[in-house]
Amino acid sequence: MILTPFFLAAGGSLGKWIAKLHETFIENERYKMMFEGFRNTLVITLGALVIGVTIGMLIAVVKYLAEDVPGLKPFAWVCDLYVKIIRGIPMVVLLLIFYYIIFALAKDGVPVAIVAFGINSGAYMAELIRSGINAVDAGQMEAGRSLGMSRIQAMRVVVFPQAIRYILPAIGNELIALLKETSVAGYVAVMDVTRAGNLIRNNSFDAVNPLMLVAIIYLVLVLLLTWLLGKLERRLKTGDKR
Amino acid sequence: MISVKNLQKDFGGVKVLKGLSTEIEKGDVICVIGPSGSGKSTFLRCLNMLEKPTGGKIIFEGDDLTDKKVDLDRHRQKMGMVFQQFNLFPHMTVMKNLIVAPMMLKKIPEEQAKAKAMELLGRVGLVDRADSYPNQLSGGQKQRVAIVRALCMEPDVMLFDEPTSALDPEMVGEVLDVMKKLAAAGMTMVVVTHEMGFAREVSNRVLFLDDGVILEEGTPGEIFDHPRNERLQSFLAKVL
């Protein structure tokens, strides 16, 4: 009996909440900002992932080969410098430099953000791909070479297919970090999820709902990625015939 | 087939090989014995340049392998190697382990490579394991597969780096049997080993290495029954 008014009250506040949501998100079609932000966050994250993995792979292979080929030493040195510089600069600062100095003429911030986040990610990818390659027993490369394979051939068919078991989960973790890091894209006027939420907060005078929604979107995306990663890792384990 | 001339190797200032010279002729079965740390494995690994010598020459079939301009990969195809730790490729089936190099490097068609691999697997009694992965094999089986993998490249010489040292005692025999058959078939072999029985029975020449030099070299009879060098005598007293 005592519970009845509570339910009524809850129903009442639920109704109020829905009205508030309508006011915050539907009026002036503010939800459209959120859609655009969601799309941009995904585009920047995936674009940066592709660039990052490509750069990381290139650097890892150059540095690995340079251990044996003296001609590659200067390239390895350049790679080291790149990794050191990038890892020493905060992402936001890097993004501002790319937008206001290097691509000062760019009208759209999204491609600039993709490049900036990709170049940043590449430095971290390089290190984790390299440690994956180094985790494979040195005897594997020797066995390949002893059969007459070149360093690159042995890398391709012997070492790398084994290193991938260590590398993929690490790339997944980097992807999660990257996704969350893109929340600073708003610094260069890119409409990502975070900036969309913040703009809606500003326009609607409702701070709670837009910011909670932003947080929930990131959380759900991260949980989704984590779940996919777990599946991947289990698959790599069962495929492990060692 | 292989002439080793004044071979030297330093590891960060430590002289491991201090000038070895020897000749390996076609059909030779040479066992390299000596105490641990004497440089046996380093010597063997220098023969196919897995270790880069710091001095001296390795002349293989007329070409100096220490020459920077020589195509090492092409020469290594002719020098099979068997490792103490097998080093099979764990992500490939036995069959794939055997055919990957011949198909990639010698452009042998898959069917032909497989037929050859099956024939060689038959000779070591492992036809039924062609579709297994290395982790499903015993140590002795792994090492027999590793020998077959090297043989699939049809090498002119086989290098064995302590091939039975990582095996359980009951599996040593099956690997040595395969090596004996190989020797009987006329394969040129250089074997670093602690199996004195094998060295005495199968080899035609034994090298005794100690402290980075060949202290004594001769037929198994000379080495085992009439050792001249004092250190060889005391080594044999400990291991026989």
Side-chain angles (χ1 to χ4, degrees), chain A residues 68 137-151 153-154 156-159 161-162 240-242, chain B residues 45 48 50 52 73 76-77 79-81 83 87-92 100-101 104-105 133-135 149-150 153:
Chain A
D68 219 40
D137 185 75
Q140 291 292 311
M141 175 55 88
E142 286 189 345
R145 299 303 307 270
S146 80
L147 288 165
M149 294 179 196
S150 69
R151 240 179 127 72
Q153 286 170 326
R156 188 165 50 85
V157 303
V158 177
V159 176
Q162 297 179 62
D240 181 14
K241 303 281 191 181
R242 195 181 276 270
Chain B
R45 289 161 58 82
N48 69 349
L50 277 186
K52 305 274 182 280
D73 297 334
R76 284 201 183 112
Q77 293 181 20
M79 310 172 100
M81 189 165 204
F83 299 85
N87 293 346
L88 292 177
F89 306 135
H91 58 302
M92 301 178 187
V100 60
M104 183 164 74
L105 304 172
Y133 280 86
N135 77 320
R149 178 174 68 177
M153 287 299 285

Side-chain angles (χ1 to χ4, degrees), chain B residues 5-54:
Chain B
K5 292 183 174 160
N6 192 28
L7 179 64
Q8 295 161 49
K9 174 71 185 176
D10 288 15
F11 282 113
V14 182
K15 285 191 172 10
V16 179
L17 301 178
K18 301 174 180 169
L20 287 84
S21 301
T22 191
E23 294 286 330
I24 298 159
E25 308 289 349
K26 193 169 171 11
D28 269 352
V29 177
I30 295 178
C31 280
V32 183
I33 62 170
S36 66
S38 58
K40 309 180 295 281
S41 282
T42 307
F43 165 70
L44 190 79
R45 289 161 58 82
C46 280
L47 292 182
N48 69 349
M49 297 288 287
L50 277 186
E51 292 302 346
K52 305 274 182 280
T54 6

Side-chain angles (χ1 to χ4, degrees), chain B residues 59-72:
Chain B
I59 315 284
F60 175 62
E61 295 179 344
D63 292 316
D64 179 4
L65 300 186
T66 60
D67 185 344
K68 290 220 170 359
K69 276 170 273 172
V70 85
D71 184 354
L72 261 186

Side-chain angles (χ1 to χ4, degrees), chain A residues 190-223:
Chain A
V190 169
M191 178 72 82
D192 73 321
V193 169
T194 306
R195 184 148 186 266
N198 203 29
L199 281 177
I200 295 173
R201 175 195 61 76
N202 195 46
N203 298 349
S204 67
F205 304 104
D206 172 12
V208 177
N209 293 309
L211 296 184
M212 284 300 132
L213 178 64
V214 169
I216 287 167
I217 289 175
Y218 283 113
L219 183 62
V220 168
L221 283 175
V222 168
L223 289 176

Side-chain angles (χ1 to χ4, degrees), chain A residues 130-176:
Chain A
R130 222 162 70 85
S131 61
I133 289 172
N134 287 337
V136 177
D137 185 75
Q140 291 292 311
M141 175 55 88
E142 286 189 345
R145 299 303 307 270
S146 80
L147 288 165
M149 294 179 196
S150 69
R151 240 179 127 72
I152 291 176
Q153 286 170 326
M155 171 63 102
R156 188 165 50 85
V157 303
V158 177
V159 176
F160 200 74
Q162 297 179 62
I164 202 81
R165 294 183 312 129
Y166 307 108
I167 294 173
L168 274 185
I171 286 185
N173 290 333
E174 174 62 23
L175 176 60
I176 288 173

Side-chain angles (χ1 to χ4, degrees), chain B:
Chain B
M1 177 181 283
I2 306 178
S3 337
V4 180
K5 292 183 174 160
N6 192 28
L7 179 64
Q8 295 161 49
K9 174 71 185 176
D10 288 15
F11 282 113
V14 182
K15 285 191 172 10
V16 179
L17 301 178
K18 301 174 180 169
L20 287 84
S21 301
T22 191
E23 294 286 330
I24 298 159
E25 308 289 349
K26 193 169 171 11
D28 269 352
V29 177
I30 295 178
C31 280
V32 183
I33 62 170
S36 66
S38 58
K40 309 180 295 281
S41 282
T42 307
F43 165 70
L44 190 79
R45 289 161 58 82
C46 280
L47 292 182
N48 69 349
M49 297 288 287
L50 277 186
E51 292 302 346
K52 305 274 182 280
T54 6
K57 283 184 163 65
I58 310 278
I59 315 284
F60 175 62
E61 295 179 344
D63 292 316
D64 179 4
L65 300 186
T66 60
D67 185 344
K68 290 220 170 359
K69 276 170 273 172
V70 85
D71 184 354
L72 261 186
D73 297 334
R74 194 169 55 81
H75 286 90
R76 284 201 183 112
Q77 293 181 20
K78 304 242 146 241
M79 310 172 100
M81 189 165 204
V82 175
F83 299 85
Q84 184 177 346
Q85 298 296 339
F86 327 125
N87 293 346
L88 292 177
F89 306 135
H91 58 302
M92 301 178 187
T93 61
V94 166
M95 180 51 80
K96 193 82 213 290
N97 264 279
L98 303 182
I99 63 174
V100 60
M103 283 176 60
M104 183 164 74
L105 304 172
K106 297 175 100 177
K107 310 289 175 213
I108 292 172
E110 181 166 354
E111 288 313 308
Q112 202 181 322
K114 278 188 170 164
K116 168 102 188 160
M118 271 315 213
E119 184 217 320
L120 288 168
L121 274 182
R123 281 200 227 161
V124 302
L126 289 174
V127 169
D128 54 332
R129 305 317 299 264
D131 297 321
S132 304
Y133 280 86
N135 77 320
Q136 297 163 326
L137 306 179
S138 71
Q141 290 173 329
K142 281 182 198 167
Q143 198 59 301
R144 283 184 279 159
V145 170
I147 292 171
V148 170
R149 178 174 68 177
L151 289 176
C152 279
M153 287 299 285
E154 302 184 319
D156 295 339
V157 57
M158 287 280 284
L159 312 175
F160 293 84
D161 188 2
E162 302 197 23
T164 58
S165 296
L167 297 176
D168 291 338
E170 77 267 24
M171 291 170 183
V172 170
E174 65 192 63
V175 172
L176 291 181
D177 281 344
V178 168
M179 292 168 64
K180 277 180 205 165
K181 273 196 225 162
L182 202 54
M187 175 59 79
T188 310
M189 294 162 64
V190 183
V191 186
V192 171
T193 187
H194 295 290
E195 299 291 334
M196 296 303 149
F198 176 84
R200 183 195 282 266
E201 186 187 338
V202 182
S203 68
N204 65 328
R205 203 142 57 85
V206 178
L207 307 184
F208 174 64
L209 257 68
D210 190 22
D211 203 18
V213 292
I214 299 176
L215 271 189
E216 198 161 332
E217 175 170 1
T219 63
E222 288 166 346
I223 293 286
F224 292 110
D225 300 329
H226 309 288
R228 291 180 308 245
N229 187 288
E230 213 173 278
R231 276 199 273 184
L232 174 56
Q233 288 165 3
S234 79
F235 173 74
L236 291 176
K238 277 181 218 150
V239 297
L240 287 181

